[in-house]
Amino acid sequence: MRGKIASFLFLCVSMGLSAQASDPVLMRINGVDIKKSEFEYIYNKNNTAETVEQKDLDEYLELFKNFKLKVFEAKAQGLDTLPSFKNELNGYRRQLSQPYLEDKDAEEFFIREAYDRMKENVSVSHILVRLPFNYTVADTLDAYNRIMEIRERVAPSNKRKKAEDFNMVAKEVSEDPSAETNSGLLGYISAFSTVYPFENAAYSTPVGTISMPVRSSYGYHIIKVEDRRPDPGQVLASHIMISYPREADEETMEKARLKADSVYQLIKGGMDFSEAAKEYSEDRGTAQNGGELPWFGVGRMIKEFENVAFSLNKGDVSEPFQTAFGYHIMQVKDKKDLAPYEEQQKEIRSMIMRSDRNAEIKNTTANRLKKEYNYTPDNAALQEVIALAMKGEAVDSAFIADGKQLNKVLFTLNNEPYTQAQFVEYVEKNPNSPKATPSDALTDKYEQYVNASVFSYQDQNLENQYKDFANLMNEYHDGILLFEVSNKEVWDKASKDTEGLTNYFNQHKDEYKWDKPRYKGFVISCADAKTRKDAEKLVKKTASDSIIKVLNTTFNTPEKSNIKVERVLVTEGENKAVDCFGFKTLNKKEYESPENYPEVFVTGKILKDGPETYQDVRGLVTSDYQNYLEEEWLKYLRDKYTVEVNEDVLRSVQNISSK
């Protein structure tokens, strides 16, 4: 539909708005001013000539006038008030507004930051103190104090106090389950390997030092940076896995090791790695593909697997090595360095949109917009809402009912007020919160509400902020109306008005005469002589408009087709069956009947001068009838609406594109 409207707008001369301070009236329709900028916008959109010719202006003026009259009529009929119109226009607006709502500067910052981090790997250990799902302010404070106590053990503020070993403490107290086996050592990470707050702390902490507590969605971390190195790029590898359960005993693991070693010996003896993977690998997700994995970089695989992958050269096959999943044999098929920024940019953006960085972009954008829109909060009004919630045990229906009675201003955006009651309505529609207490939940919801309001305000004011968006939206607004009213008054009417089509055809019959005769009727192909004989009898007593249905119903079943019927309106040379049995200009010996339908006959008549009814030339008549309806409709609209044109303003129209 969108493409149809766009092309239709081009043909029918669509229009736009202008926010020019000095914009004279070009035209007045029933007292409504039409500004010069609207016509100038159209002219420049559809005209590429460097100079403005009076002839072109006059032609465009007529098209523009017709267009405006139709849009006026659509509004007069109330088409712009229909839910279907509003829904369609809103759907287009959502699509068209996206590029204007994106913060390109913020996106570029985070894309560039991620790419720069991809150039370097950071080896880290960490200790985690978790937060519960429904955490409170007290939970947060408790977790922070605990992580600070742990940090004091590994990086004491008292220089005379000896620091404990970070990894030993991690194994003892970290609430990351993997610490039991890795003592908190995660190995090398890169961009997108971990949650964004953790990554930020890792990349901003010097080697050998321990970060201050950093909060993530898991809780509080302290991070020790063990090492930094240039990124080794990506690896394309295949592997063979001999698995065992996570809680496997020594005997089970030894059996897996021996099996892996026997497969390794087969490969050393000349067996193709891919064939070995297909036959022996217990990673069924990759085995059928010869064990091949997707390209991967640092932080994408478990540490033991990754270490082997980056230690091998292209073409090398590893000895069996152990991970938590079992024993593996790996073959490195290829390696590549980090691609240039221009090649990575699109992929990184896609990764950002799927990660927690996306929330950071939105927060950055929201903060920028708050400044731009002069966001002015009233904390006392917020505290009044929170105090109301604290009277009960939760943000419940009683709070909602009482909260809707509050009417103080919570904050303003460009002096536009957002009230306490509006905030409470937002909470009612968005009740879920990870915070346990009413105070925490409402504080969290308030930040969400402010950001949502800022983005909504931005969306609602796009037409005022961006002239090209205003032009575009007006095109779609008027284009949809134009399409609907034209369909109602001309196109749909012409295709369904059989009486009108018949009358129009009869009045213009001479215009549809043919240069040579046509055969009008049916070609009927039968499976055998008996079917043909019976069909010929039946055709003689059947009305022409029922022949296809009657013959198919009589002679065909779901199991077998005994007859085929084709409606034709053809000249000599267009259908061999008609040439042979209708025009009789083709010798029967030269005619080849269809396979499985050897018995063929035709029924119908030769029309020498022209069509019998409009249905014989339906496409042409419908098109001509539409043009007739269009002309009559425009006469009606010109009589209905008063149009005044300011010729001086018309002659001042300029080709903006040639300036």
Side-chain angles (χ1 to χ4, degrees):
M1 181 66 177
R2 180 175 176 178
K4 177 167 64 176
I5 288 177
S7 60
F8 182 68
L9 288 171
F10 179 84
L11 294 173
C12 294
V13 191
S14 61
M15 48 161 277
L17 298 172
S18 174
Q20 298 174 19
S22 177
D23 193 2
V25 175
L26 171 72
M27 182 187 301
R28 188 172 285 115
I29 300 179
N30 270 24
V32 178
D33 291 345
I34 311 297
K35 299 297 185 68
K36 169 188 172 183
S37 60
E38 297 187 21
F39 180 76
E40 202 163 53
Y41 170 77
I42 299 166
Y43 183 83
N44 283 283
K45 181 175 182 180
N46 296 307
N47 184 42
T48 58
E50 293 186 1
T51 58
V52 178
E53 300 290 341
Q54 185 61 43
K55 180 181 177 182
D56 293 335
L57 281 177
D58 292 340
E59 290 176 355
Y60 270 86
L61 181 66
E62 285 304 306
L63 291 170
F64 180 70
K65 188 188 300 181
N66 292 343
F67 167 74
K68 294 298 292 183
L69 287 170
K70 292 174 185 177
V71 172
F72 265 66
E73 179 64 13
K75 291 179 179 179
Q77 294 182 16
L79 298 183
D80 59 334
T81 66
L82 297 176
S84 57
F85 167 78
K86 294 179 178 179
N87 291 337
E88 184 173 1
L89 184 63
N90 288 336
Y92 286 129
R93 194 183 192 284
R94 283 192 294 272
Q95 297 176 44
L96 297 170
S97 65
Q98 286 307 306
Y100 296 90
L101 297 173
E102 293 171 355
D103 191 330
K104 297 297 184 183
D105 291 339
E107 284 187 12
E108 174 65 23
F109 170 83
F110 282 97
I111 294 171
R112 176 63 70 176
E113 178 190 67
Y115 181 78
D116 289 342
R117 288 179 179 178
M118 287 178 171
K119 298 176 183 177
E120 183 181 41
N121 305 154
V122 181
S123 179
V124 296
S125 297
H126 86 126
I127 297 171
L128 170 66
V129 173
R130 288 187 176 274
L131 280 171
F133 175 74
N134 292 314
Y135 61 85
T136 65
V137 172
D139 293 328
T140 303
L141 182 60
D142 177 64
Y144 181 81
N145 288 334
R146 287 166 56 202
I147 199 73
M148 282 300 292
E149 289 173 3
I150 295 169
R151 189 179 189 280
E152 188 65 22
R153 291 175 61 182
V154 295
S157 55
N158 186 345
K159 300 298 182 183
R160 289 173 294 179
K161 184 178 178 181
K162 185 178 180 182
E164 297 182 50
D165 181 85
F166 188 96
N167 297 102
M168 293 294 291
V169 175
K171 188 169 185 178
E172 175 191 341
V173 302
S174 180
E175 294 177 359
D176 179 352
S178 68
E180 291 185 12
T181 55
N182 64 18
S183 300
L185 178 62
L186 300 181
Y188 286 99
I189 67 169
S190 183
F192 300 103
S193 298
T194 64
V195 289
Y196 185 62
F198 188 101
E199 178 191 309
N200 271 343
Y203 274 88
S204 59
T205 301
V207 173
T209 62
I210 297 169
S211 73
M212 291 299 291
V214 56
R215 183 171 166 179
S216 77
S217 55
Y218 299 101
Y220 280 100
H221 312 253
I222 53 173
I223 301 168
K224 180 181 179 183
V225 174
E226 309 282 359
D227 188 27
R228 290 176 182 267
R229 71 179 185 191
D231 181 74
Q234 291 189 308
V235 174
L236 180 65
S238 296
H239 83 128
I240 298 168
M241 181 174 75
I242 308 300
S243 63
Y244 53 71
R246 283 187 176 273
E247 304 300 325
D249 55 26
E250 292 293 333
E251 181 180 355
T252 301
M253 288 191 285
E254 179 60 16
K255 286 181 180 178
R257 186 191 69 79
L258 291 173
K259 183 176 179 180
D261 186 66
S262 66
V263 175
Y264 175 67
Q265 295 303 323
L266 290 173
I267 295 170
K268 282 184 65 177
M271 186 176 188
D272 180 73
F273 190 96
S274 177
E275 293 302 316
K278 291 177 182 178
E279 185 170 348
Y280 297 109
S281 181
E282 294 172 5
D283 177 4
R284 304 319 301 171
T286 64
Q288 295 307 308
N289 195 34
E292 184 170 303
L293 298 160
W295 283 94
F296 63 88
V298 170
R300 301 299 179 195
M301 299 291 182
I302 56 175
K303 182 162 60 73
E304 298 86 354
F305 195 93
E306 180 183 292
N307 290 341
V308 173
F310 285 103
S311 69
L312 297 174
N313 295 317
K314 180 178 177 180
D316 288 351
V317 176
S318 74
E319 295 183 359
F321 63 94
Q322 189 177 16
T323 72
F325 300 98
Y327 280 91
H328 308 257
I329 308 166
M330 183 189 301
Q331 181 184 51
V332 170
K333 303 182 74 174
D334 202 0
K335 288 189 171 185
K336 64 181 180 182
D337 294 331
L338 180 67
Y341 177 75
E342 292 72 22
E343 295 179 20
Q344 289 283 101
Q345 190 174 5
K346 185 176 180 181
E347 181 181 352
I348 294 174
R349 184 185 185 279
S350 178
M351 294 169 70
I352 285 175
M353 294 301 116
R354 299 193 305 268
S355 74
D356 52 354
R357 276 177 166 86
N358 192 26
E360 294 294 326
I361 291 177
K362 289 183 177 179
N363 287 334
T364 300
T365 305
N367 290 333
R368 175 181 62 79
L369 293 174
K370 286 178 188 178
K371 295 179 182 178
E372 187 176 322
Y373 300 146
N374 300 311
Y375 164 69
T376 307
D378 186 334
N379 189 58
L382 174 62
Q383 292 307 315
E384 187 176 343
V385 179
I386 293 174
L388 179 62
M390 294 296 287
K391 289 180 180 179
E393 296 182 358
V395 179
D396 55 15
S397 58
F399 161 77
I400 297 296
D402 293 340
K404 288 182 179 180
Q405 305 306 312
L406 301 176
N407 57 10
K408 290 181 181 177
V409 175
L410 270 180
F411 61 90
T412 60
L413 297 175
N414 282 345
N415 295 319
E416 182 175 323
Y418 291 77
T419 66
Q420 294 166 316
Q422 289 173 312
F423 171 49
V424 172
E425 289 175 359
Y426 175 84
V427 174
E428 182 181 25
K429 294 176 182 176
N430 303 273
N432 297 328
S433 173
K435 307 300 177 67
T437 68
S439 175
D440 293 343
L442 283 178
T443 301
D444 181 53
K445 285 295 174 187
Y446 175 75
E447 293 301 322
Q448 294 177 22
Y449 176 60
V450 170
N451 286 356
S453 300
V454 165
F455 288 124
S456 177
Y457 185 87
Q458 179 195 28
D459 189 8
Q460 292 168 12
N461 286 275
L462 287 177
E463 282 86 349
N464 298 327
Q465 189 172 358
Y466 300 102
K467 177 184 173 183
D468 55 342
F469 180 75
N471 289 335
L472 197 56
M473 278 307 302
N474 199 67
E475 286 191 22
Y476 277 86
H477 175 278
D478 288 356
I480 296 170
L481 287 180
L482 181 61
F483 181 86
E484 292 299 330
V485 75
S486 298
N487 192 50
K488 179 182 177 183
E489 298 293 337
V490 178
W491 305 329
D492 196 46
K493 185 175 180 180
S495 63
K496 295 180 179 179
D497 183 9
T498 55
E499 183 179 351
L501 286 166
T502 299
N503 292 336
Y504 184 86
F505 171 76
N506 290 334
Q507 293 169 14
H508 300 82
K509 199 168 185 178
D510 289 344
E511 298 175 15
Y512 301 102
K513 286 189 174 182
W514 292 328
D515 55 350
K516 51 185 175 180
R518 281 169 168 76
Y519 187 88
K520 176 183 177 181
F522 301 88
V523 175
I524 302 169
S525 306
C526 306
D528 52 59
K530 183 179 184 306
T531 301
R532 173 180 173 171
K533 183 178 179 181
D534 293 341
E536 287 177 330
K537 291 180 181 179
L538 190 57
V539 163
K540 290 179 181 179
K541 56 184 180 180
T542 302
S544 61
D545 59 354
S546 301
I547 284 178
I548 293 177
K549 181 179 179 180
V550 169
L551 292 181
N552 281 325
T553 302
T554 304
F555 297 103
N556 292 333
T557 67
E559 293 76 26
K560 187 177 181 182
S561 175
N562 291 301
I563 200 167
K564 285 188 176 183
V565 187
E566 177 189 3
R567 188 189 300 272
V568 293
L569 181 62
V570 295
T571 61
E572 184 181 340
E574 291 181 339
N575 185 293
K576 289 188 176 181
V578 173
D579 290 346
C580 183
F581 304 108
F583 290 116
K584 299 182 179 179
T585 56
L586 179 68
N587 191 300
K588 291 183 179 181
K589 294 181 180 179
E590 299 176 17
Y591 174 69
E592 293 183 10
S593 59
E595 187 177 358
N596 300 326
Y597 297 91
E599 299 293 328
V600 179
F601 70 99
V602 301
T603 181
K605 64 180 73 173
I606 296 175
L607 303 178
K608 294 183 178 180
D609 297 326
E612 284 185 309
T613 71
Y614 81 88
Q615 292 178 334
D616 295 337
V617 280
R618 186 183 185 97
L620 289 173
V621 175
T622 301
S623 177
D624 292 343
Y625 188 48
Q626 284 178 351
N627 293 335
Y628 166 76
L629 291 176
E630 173 93 6
E631 291 173 3
E632 292 299 307
W633 184 36
L634 283 172
K635 290 178 185 177
Y636 164 77
L637 294 178
R638 291 191 186 103
D639 289 339
K640 181 177 180 179
Y641 298 102
T642 301
V643 181
E644 305 168 71
V645 177
N646 189 324
E647 295 292 340
D648 291 336
V649 174
L650 176 64
R651 284 166 177 74
S652 70
V653 170
Q654 301 181 58
N655 191 328
I656 299 170
S657 62
S658 65
K659 290 181 182 177

